[in-house]
Amino acid sequence: MAIGSGLGAQIGISAEVTYGTYVAPSKFIEFTKESLALKKTTAQSAGIAAGRLLPLSSRRVVTQTEAQGTVDLEVTNKAMGLLLQSLMGTTVTPVQQGAGPAYLQTHTLADTAGKSLVIQKGVPLTTGTVTDKTFLGCKVTSAEFSCEVGGMLTVSFEFDSKGCDETQTLAAASYPTMAVFHFGQMGVKAGSFGTEAALDGIRKVSVKFERPQAVDRFYAGQNGTKKEPISNDQVKITGSIEMDYVATTLDDLHTSDAATSLVWEFIGPVIATTYNETFRIKLPAIKIDEAPPTVDGFDVVKPTISFTGLYDGTNQPAIEYISTDITL
């Protein structure tokens, strides 16, 4: 029996072959909180019948089902590949680096058609029995990465789902030995693409990817469930940088409205010669929206820079991930 609280909870994920079709979880992720929940649309008969003071319970019907929610977690040095692929869209095969056990995943921005997940969560009753709630057809609609002084690199994934199946068998969770990326490993660079230089004074960075999709594809003949969402707007990439005002590099870019390439990376321990555990977000073109270096008393000036990620005409945004994972 599991512990009858959140201590006994679990989340397992797997890539779907067909949207909305169950595949047993292949990875189990360590999460900090989640809000995945079934959403149903109902209709109630309103027929008038002499003397009837309440609607009939037998004539309330469920016309549509779907699910939405978020999963928050710390970014780990293993088991992130499926989530990153579902966010970015490119089909990725890890590439061995050198002769050692380091494998590079390059998640380049692309359409997310066909990239859906099964997310199975186990929710414990107070008795210790863990109930199964399996969410099918999970599409990432946004993800926000963030790290600040003294903290871990965290991410919050937002999902749209075809629905919840509570008839599956809860998979037995197993976890590899993992570590997390953190502020002590963080670096930020800006400049021309491919030759970016390190920025000083950075205290916090957040980057958000939004993947707008038509999530309302409910049609006749689908038993009240939706078809796979389709991208219906351009991707939105936004972010912010909190810093001490040690240089005018980003402030000058705000004034000129010139573009710069931004690299936000975390370099962990060595896996193999010259290859380290790595998590890296590469935005080939950003423009600074706000950069107010204002003086607010005696303390060090601490502007917060907000930016928008754009296309430089050649290079797509990408997330690079080096781990010992041979497969996603």
Side-chain angles (χ1 to χ4, degrees):
M1 299 292 284
I3 300 174
S5 67
L7 291 169
Q10 66 180 64
I11 286 182
I13 64 174
S14 59
E16 292 182 334
V17 177
T18 303
Y19 176 74
T21 302
Y22 177 75
V23 178
S26 59
K27 299 278 186 181
F28 293 87
I29 59 174
E30 300 180 12
F31 67 103
T32 55
K33 65 178 180 179
E34 60 81 24
S35 62
L36 293 168
L38 175 68
K39 178 183 177 181
K40 61 185 181 182
T41 301
T42 62
Q44 176 68 58
S45 172
I48 297 172
R52 185 184 296 155
L53 300 180
L54 285 172
L56 286 172
S57 65
S58 61
R59 287 168 63 179
R60 173 170 143 157
V61 294
V62 177
T63 59
Q64 293 175 192
T65 57
E66 56 185 326
Q68 286 93 30
T70 60
V71 177
D72 294 359
L73 62 150
E74 297 162 348
V75 177
T76 54
N77 64 343
K78 296 178 184 177
M80 294 294 300
L82 286 179
L83 292 169
L84 296 176
Q85 178 175 262
S86 298
L87 166 65
M88 299 300 286
T90 298
T91 299
V92 172
T93 300
V95 177
Q96 186 175 18
Q97 304 297 289
Y103 288 82
L104 169 65
Q105 300 175 25
T106 302
H107 297 270
T108 306
L109 187 69
D111 187 29
T112 58
K115 300 297 188 297
S116 58
L117 298 173
V118 171
I119 301 179
Q120 183 185 66
K121 72 173 183 177
V123 183
L125 299 172
T126 55
T127 59
T129 299
V130 183
T131 63
D132 159 64
K133 294 186 183 297
T134 299
F135 295 87
L136 305 175
C138 295
K139 300 277 292 186
V140 176
T141 55
S142 75
E144 183 168 13
F145 298 86
S146 182
C147 185
E148 62 183 339
V149 172
M152 306 290 191
L153 171 60
T154 62
V155 59
S156 178
F157 286 96
E158 185 175 2
F159 294 96
D160 177 82
S161 169
K162 183 175 183 177
C164 183
D165 179 0
E166 298 185 7
T167 67
Q168 300 296 334
T169 300
L170 187 68
S174 62
Y175 304 92
T177 301
M178 294 188 290
V180 294
F181 291 102
H182 59 83
F183 181 79
Q185 302 166 332
M186 187 173 95
V188 182
K189 301 176 182 179
S192 299
F193 181 77
T195 60
E196 299 89 351
L199 297 176
D200 192 11
I202 307 302
R203 301 179 59 85
K204 179 180 179 180
V205 179
S206 65
V207 175
K208 184 174 185 179
F209 295 82
E210 296 179 70
R211 307 301 310 252
Q213 294 165 69
V215 298
D216 57 351
R217 299 184 66 214
F218 292 96
Y219 305 142
Q222 300 296 314
N223 296 314
T225 62
K226 68 176 72 176
K227 286 198 170 184
E228 181 178 359
I230 297 172
S231 296
N232 64 351
D233 200 351
Q234 292 180 315
V235 177
K236 296 177 176 62
I237 302 175
T238 55
S240 65
I241 299 172
E242 294 182 16
M243 60 183 293
D244 285 356
Y245 197 49
V246 301
T248 64
T249 304
L250 297 180
D251 189 16
D252 292 344
L253 289 168
H254 173 247
T255 301
S256 67
D257 202 43
T260 186
S261 175
L262 183 73
V263 175
W264 180 30
E265 63 185 8
F266 295 79
I267 308 299
V270 173
I271 302 175
T273 303
T274 72
Y275 298 104
N276 295 57
E277 296 172 353
T278 300
F279 181 88
R280 179 181 293 118
I281 293 178
K282 300 172 71 174
L283 304 178
I286 68 165
K287 292 210 172 187
I288 308 299
D289 299 315
E290 294 182 6
T294 57
V295 179
D296 186 21
F298 299 113
D299 200 1
V300 173
V301 176
K302 291 180 168 64
T304 296
I305 312 297
S306 64
F307 62 84
T308 299
L310 301 166
Y311 181 42
D312 71 354
T314 303
N315 306 289
Q316 292 286 0
I319 297 177
E320 295 177 348
Y321 182 61
I322 299 179
S323 74
T324 58
D325 289 339
I326 298 173
T327 64
L328 298 193

